[in-house]
Amino acid sequence: MRIRHLRYFLVVAEELSFSRAAARVHIEPSPLSRAIKELETELGVCLFQRTRGRIQLTWAGEVFREEAHRMLTFMEGARSRVHAAARGFHGRLRIGLADSLAQPRLTRLLACCREEEPLTEVRVIEMTVKEMVNALRHDQIDAGFTVHTELSNGFVKEVVWTDRPVIAIPKNHPLLSLDQIPLQEVARHSLILCHPELCSGGYDVIRRWFSEYTLPLPSTTQYVSGHEPMMMLVAAGYGIGLGLESQITLYNHPEVIIRPVTNDVPSAATFITILDQPPSEELGRFIARAQQVGNAITV
């Protein structure tokens, strides 16, 4: 089984068209079709159902798509590790980053890792919570950061730091008459939030806040891909933004004012998540450093 055949298969599975897939991989449709046939012959199964010029994945094809992703990820990881060894690294950590958690504390943590353990390569991969869970199960990452409060069995979560909720408010908005914003007041206005799928952890936290006060999310809520477009829409007057202080304050805008939520709304914890098994020595030290960074901020 050749690596390029796996890549060809994944492109065809995505496009469901040999002509479009061939254009993407820069070969003619006929040799691409032959490569897929060779792959099916080697596996002894039919990966695609071909009817009247249309193709669809069979159930075997659906299963093989997941396995092909795993094999390519493994090969890319092996290549990366070999290259890291050639550059002098003696260890590695693969860290998943969900919920758009690019914040100063992570910067400080990664800087500590470079200073205290320079021979360990740390790779950071952005992903959704769902992708993080699958990556942990398939040994594609060693740990992941998320604010999601619920994960399935088989995982261990460690709190590394906490964050206060804040509101992003456009200039001249009536809420600016308040020093701290009650959640009941927030519920009266149009909200701009990060998307529930792209940032499911952050959405989970906000949903829980509203649920504790038996408040519905406003029907006029808009969802965006991240905090930068959130601030753009807030500045334009489309609504108010709600999120975590460390995230929203990264995207200062001259037309947006940041105000804290009242203290009765709880802080949100950021978790580092690993499989429920003893961590490696390198990962154990990484978790300890993360908690030290969190303690240094909160004390």
Side-chain angles (χ1 to χ4, degrees):
M1 189 179 298
R2 298 180 180 180
I3 292 177
R4 73 169 182 273
H5 286 180
L6 298 179
R7 298 188 189 278
Y8 290 167
F9 164 75
L10 289 174
V11 174
V12 176
E14 184 177 334
E15 295 289 347
L16 293 179
S17 164
F18 281 106
S19 58
R20 291 195 299 269
R24 278 183 56 182
V25 297
H26 308 294
I27 64 173
E28 294 296 321
S30 293
L32 176 60
S33 180
R34 285 198 300 272
I36 298 300
K37 279 289 189 184
E38 291 173 8
L39 187 58
E40 289 177 318
T41 300
E42 183 168 352
L43 290 169
V45 299
C46 182
L47 298 172
F48 293 98
Q49 183 179 357
R50 301 162 175 84
T51 54
R52 296 183 182 180
R54 297 180 61 188
I55 62 172
Q56 289 182 314
L57 280 168
T58 63
W59 173 239
E62 293 279 3
V63 172
F64 187 67
R65 176 164 58 178
E66 182 177 346
E67 295 300 326
H69 274 298
R70 289 177 60 183
M71 286 186 277
L72 287 177
T73 300
F74 176 81
M75 292 302 299
E76 289 166 3
R79 184 182 294 111
S80 173
R81 196 167 186 182
V82 168
H83 289 169
R87 297 196 306 271
F89 291 109
H90 291 272
R92 66 163 182 173
L93 286 173
R94 302 158 299 170
I95 307 299
L97 193 60
D99 304 319
S100 301
L101 288 177
Q103 54 176 276
R105 277 169 281 206
L106 282 167
T107 302
R108 191 171 292 108
L109 169 60
L110 295 174
C112 287
C113 291
R114 284 179 61 86
E115 292 173 7
E116 298 174 13
E117 209 161 334
L119 296 183
T120 296
E121 181 190 32
V122 180
R123 297 186 62 201
V124 178
I125 309 136
E126 289 188 279
M127 54 184 57
T128 65
V129 172
K130 182 178 179 181
E131 290 168 340
M132 184 190 78
V133 168
N134 287 332
L136 283 167
R137 283 180 174 150
H138 295 148
D139 192 31
Q140 295 168 356
I141 60 173
D142 301 296
F145 285 94
T146 179
V147 294
H148 207 295
T149 56
E150 294 182 1
L151 289 174
S152 56
N153 294 332
F155 298 96
V156 173
K157 297 186 305 181
E158 297 278 356
V159 176
V160 287
W161 49 70
T162 59
D163 235 322
R164 289 297 302 157
V166 295
I167 308 296
I169 308 171
K171 279 188 173 180
N172 303 318
H173 194 281
L175 280 179
L176 292 176
S177 62
L178 302 171
D179 290 333
Q180 294 184 332
I181 315 297
L183 204 60
Q184 293 86 344
E185 287 295 324
V186 174
R188 299 170 190 251
H189 299 271
S190 297
L191 281 184
I192 300 168
L193 304 177
C194 288
H195 196 278
E197 293 182 9
L198 298 176
C199 187
S200 61
Y203 180 79
D204 171 68
V205 168
I206 292 170
R207 180 184 58 79
R208 283 175 173 272
W209 287 337
F210 276 78
S211 177
E212 287 176 7
Y213 284 87
T214 63
L215 295 170
L217 282 173
S219 59
T220 52
T221 298
Q222 293 189 57
Y223 297 105
V224 291
S225 60
H227 294 89
E228 190 169 9
M230 175 193 290
M231 297 296 273
M232 176 186 69
L233 291 180
V234 170
Y238 281 81
I240 60 176
L242 174 60
L244 302 180
E245 182 178 17
S246 64
Q247 304 304 103
I248 286 183
T249 53
L250 286 177
Y251 301 96
N252 288 328
H253 193 289
E255 299 298 319
V256 177
I257 309 297
I258 307 299
R259 286 285 162 83
V261 176
T262 50
N263 292 329
D264 55 319
V265 179
S267 297
T270 294
F271 304 96
I272 188 166
T273 306
I274 63 173
L275 287 176
D276 189 4
Q277 60 187 34
S280 67
E281 292 183 3
E282 291 162 334
L283 181 56
R285 292 193 295 270
F286 181 84
I287 294 171
R289 286 193 194 97
Q291 292 172 327
Q292 288 171 3
V293 167
N295 291 335
I297 296 294
T298 57
V299 170

